[in-house]
Amino acid sequence: MSDISTKQAFIRAKAVDGRVKWSRHALGKLGAEIATVRDVESALQRAELIEDYPHLHRHLPDCLVLVFVSARNPMHCVVALDEDTNFVLVVTVYRPLEKEWNDDWRTRR
């Protein structure tokens, strides 16, 4: 999988199919973010890939996606894409900070 639109479609499809796994780290961060696994997995069905990370230091390629768990609740998720076993892994999740991100939540300051 090389292009962004294909990766974004893969993430959305796996979320629709319930093919999402969670790292222990992501689950811990999620509790602090006041959202549920169900909220984020539902939002991943409409995820927008905003940064693509190369396959450098990790076993799986990963990327940063923007999701909205509600109209006024943007979150960023780093997800790894595992084509071989047909799932996405949520590596971490956090609320983007205004001082680090432009108003669109897609562009770093």
Side-chain angles (χ1 to χ4, degrees):
M1 210 177 320
S2 60
D3 69 63
I4 288 175
S5 62
T6 303
K7 290 179 179 180
Q8 183 173 283
F10 182 84
I11 294 163
R12 290 176 176 183
K14 296 310 114 193
V16 167
D17 295 343
R19 304 284 303 161
V20 178
K21 295 184 181 182
W22 289 77
S23 72
R24 183 175 298 163
H25 173 79
L27 289 171
K29 295 292 281 185
L30 189 62
E33 296 296 339
I34 311 169
T36 67
V37 167
R38 175 182 262 153
D39 292 337
V40 175
E41 289 183 4
S42 178
L44 282 170
Q45 296 176 22
R46 298 171 305 285
E48 180 181 342
L49 195 152
I50 58 175
E51 292 181 0
D52 190 20
Y53 304 135
H55 197 56
L56 295 178
H57 308 307
R58 304 172 207 245
H59 175 69
L60 299 171
D62 57 355
C63 51
L64 179 66
V65 298
L66 170 64
V67 300
F68 285 88
V69 294
S70 69
R72 301 177 76 196
N73 190 4
M75 296 186 83
H76 284 170
C77 301
V78 174
V79 295
L81 290 65
D82 191 334
E83 288 182 275
D84 292 340
T85 57
N86 199 32
F87 72 88
V88 295
L89 171 68
V90 179
V91 176
T92 193
V93 58
Y94 62 90
R95 287 185 204 266
L97 300 175
E98 289 182 31
K99 67 181 183 181
E100 296 175 4
W101 294 89
N102 288 329
D103 292 343
D104 65 359
W105 308 113
R106 294 165 180 82
T107 312
R108 293 182 190 268
R109 291 190 186 267

Coordinates of all heavy atoms in Angstrom, one line a residue, residues 7 21 53-63 78-87 89 91:
K7 N -4.4 4.0 1.8 CA -4.2 3.7 3.2 C -5.5 4.2 4.0 O -5.9 3.6 4.9 CB -3.0 4.4 3.7 CG -1.7 3.8 3.2 CD -0.5 4.5 3.7 CE 0.8 3.8 3.2 NZ 2.0 4.4 3.7
K21 N -7.5 -3.3 16.4 CA -6.9 -3.7 17.7 C -6.3 -2.5 18.4 O -6.0 -1.5 17.7 CB -5.8 -4.8 17.4 CG -6.3 -6.1 16.8 CD -5.2 -7.1 16.6 CE -5.8 -8.4 16.0 NZ -4.8 -9.4 15.9
Y53 N 3.8 8.0 7.8 CA 5.1 7.7 8.4 C 5.7 6.5 7.6 O 5.1 5.5 7.5 CB 5.1 7.4 9.9 CG 4.4 8.5 10.6 CD1 3.5 8.2 11.6 CD2 4.7 9.9 10.4 CE1 2.9 9.3 12.4 CE2 4.1 10.9 11.1 CZ 3.2 10.6 12.1 OH 2.6 11.6 12.8
P54 N 7.0 6.6 7.2 CA 7.6 5.5 6.5 C 7.8 4.3 7.4 O 7.7 4.4 8.6 CB 9.0 6.1 6.1 CG 9.2 7.3 7.0 CD 7.8 7.8 7.4
H55 N 8.1 3.3 6.8 CA 8.3 1.9 7.4 C 9.7 1.8 8.0 O 10.3 0.7 8.1 CB 8.1 0.9 6.2 CG 7.9 -0.5 6.7 ND1 6.8 -0.8 7.5 CD2 8.5 -1.6 6.4 CE1 6.8 -2.1 7.7 NE2 7.8 -2.6 7.0
L56 N 10.2 2.9 8.6 CA 11.6 2.9 9.1 C 11.9 2.1 10.3 O 12.6 1.1 10.2 CB 12.0 4.4 9.4 CG 12.1 5.3 8.2 CD1 12.5 6.7 8.6 CD2 13.1 4.8 7.1
H57 N 11.4 2.5 11.4 CA 11.8 1.8 12.7 C 10.7 0.9 13.2 O 10.9 0.3 14.3 CB 12.0 2.9 13.8 CG 12.9 4.0 13.3 ND1 14.2 3.8 12.8 CD2 12.8 5.3 13.3 CE1 14.7 4.9 12.5 NE2 13.9 5.9 12.8
R58 N 9.7 0.7 12.6 CA 8.6 -0.2 13.1 C 8.3 -1.4 12.2 O 8.6 -1.3 11.0 CB 7.3 0.6 13.3 CG 7.5 1.9 14.1 CD 6.3 2.7 14.1 NE 6.6 4.1 14.3 CZ 6.2 4.8 15.4 NH1 5.4 4.2 16.3 NH2 6.5 6.0 15.5
H59 N 7.7 -2.3 12.7 CA 7.4 -3.5 12.0 C 6.3 -3.3 10.9 O 6.4 -3.8 9.8 CB 6.9 -4.6 13.0 CG 6.5 -5.9 12.3 ND1 7.3 -6.7 11.6 CD2 5.2 -6.4 12.1 CE1 6.6 -7.7 11.1 NE2 5.4 -7.6 11.4
L60 N 5.3 -2.4 11.3 CA 4.2 -2.1 10.4 C 4.3 -0.6 10.0 O 4.7 0.2 10.8 CB 2.9 -2.4 11.1 CG 2.6 -3.8 11.5 CD1 1.3 -3.8 12.4 CD2 2.5 -4.7 10.3
P61 N 3.9 -0.3 8.8 CA 3.7 1.1 8.4 C 2.6 1.7 9.2 O 1.7 1.1 9.6 CB 3.4 1.0 6.9 CG 2.7 -0.3 6.7 CD 3.4 -1.2 7.7
D62 N 2.8 3.0 9.6 CA 1.8 3.7 10.3 C 1.6 5.1 9.9 O 2.3 5.6 9.0 CB 2.1 3.6 11.8 CG 3.4 4.2 12.3 OD1 4.2 4.5 11.4 OD2 3.7 4.2 13.5
C63 N 0.6 5.7 10.4 CA 0.2 7.1 10.0 C -0.6 7.8 11.1 O -1.1 7.1 12.0 CB -0.6 7.0 8.7 SG -2.0 5.9 8.7
V78 N -2.6 7.6 16.0 CA -1.5 6.9 15.2 C -2.0 5.5 15.1 O -2.3 4.8 16.1 CB -0.1 7.0 15.9 CG1 0.9 6.2 15.1 CG2 0.3 8.4 16.1
V79 N -2.1 5.0 13.8 CA -2.6 3.7 13.6 C -1.5 3.0 12.7 O -1.0 3.6 11.8 CB -4.0 3.6 12.9 CG1 -5.0 4.2 13.9 CG2 -4.0 4.4 11.6
A80 N -1.3 1.7 13.0 CA -0.5 0.9 12.1 C -1.4 0.0 11.3 O -2.4 -0.4 11.7 CB 0.4 0.0 13.0
L81 N -0.9 -0.2 10.0 CA -1.7 -0.9 9.0 C -1.1 -2.3 8.8 O 0.1 -2.4 8.4 CB -1.8 -0.2 7.7 CG -2.6 1.1 7.7 CD1 -2.0 2.2 8.6 CD2 -2.7 1.6 6.3
D82 N -1.8 -3.4 9.1 CA -1.3 -4.7 8.9 C -2.2 -5.4 7.8 O -3.2 -5.9 8.1 CB -1.4 -5.5 10.2 CG -0.7 -6.8 10.1 OD1 -0.6 -7.4 9.0 OD2 -0.3 -7.3 11.2
E83 N -1.6 -5.3 6.6 CA -2.4 -5.9 5.5 C -2.3 -7.4 5.5 O -3.3 -8.1 5.1 CB -1.7 -5.5 4.2 CG -1.9 -4.0 3.8 CD -1.3 -3.7 2.5 OE1 -0.1 -3.4 2.5 OE2 -2.0 -3.8 1.4
D84 N -1.3 -8.0 6.1 CA -1.2 -9.5 6.1 C -2.2 -10.1 7.0 O -2.8 -11.2 6.6 CB 0.2 -9.9 6.7 CG 1.4 -9.5 5.7 OD1 1.1 -9.3 4.5 OD2 2.5 -9.4 6.2
T85 N -2.6 -9.5 8.1 CA -3.6 -10.1 8.9 C -4.9 -9.3 8.9 O -5.8 -9.6 9.7 CB -3.1 -10.3 10.4 OG1 -2.7 -9.0 10.9 CG2 -2.0 -11.3 10.5
N86 N -4.9 -8.3 8.1 CA -6.2 -7.6 7.7 C -6.8 -6.8 8.9 O -7.9 -7.0 9.3 CB -7.2 -8.5 7.1 CG -8.3 -7.8 6.4 OD1 -8.0 -6.8 5.8 ND2 -9.4 -8.4 6.4
F87 N -5.9 -6.0 9.6 CA -6.5 -5.2 10.7 C -5.6 -3.9 10.8 O -4.6 -3.8 10.2 CB -6.5 -5.9 12.0 CG -5.1 -6.1 12.7 CD1 -4.6 -5.2 13.5 CD2 -4.4 -7.3 12.4 CE1 -3.3 -5.4 14.1 CE2 -3.2 -7.6 13.0 CZ -2.6 -6.6 13.8
L89 N -4.1 -1.3 13.9 CA -3.7 -1.3 15.3 C -3.6 0.2 15.8 O -2.9 1.0 15.2 CB -2.3 -1.9 15.6 CG -1.8 -1.7 17.0 CD1 -2.6 -2.5 18.0 CD2 -0.3 -2.2 17.0
V91 N -2.1 2.7 17.9 CA -0.9 2.8 18.7 C -1.0 3.8 19.8 O -0.6 3.5 20.9 CB 0.3 3.1 17.7 CG1 1.6 3.3 18.5 CG2 0.4 2.1 16.6

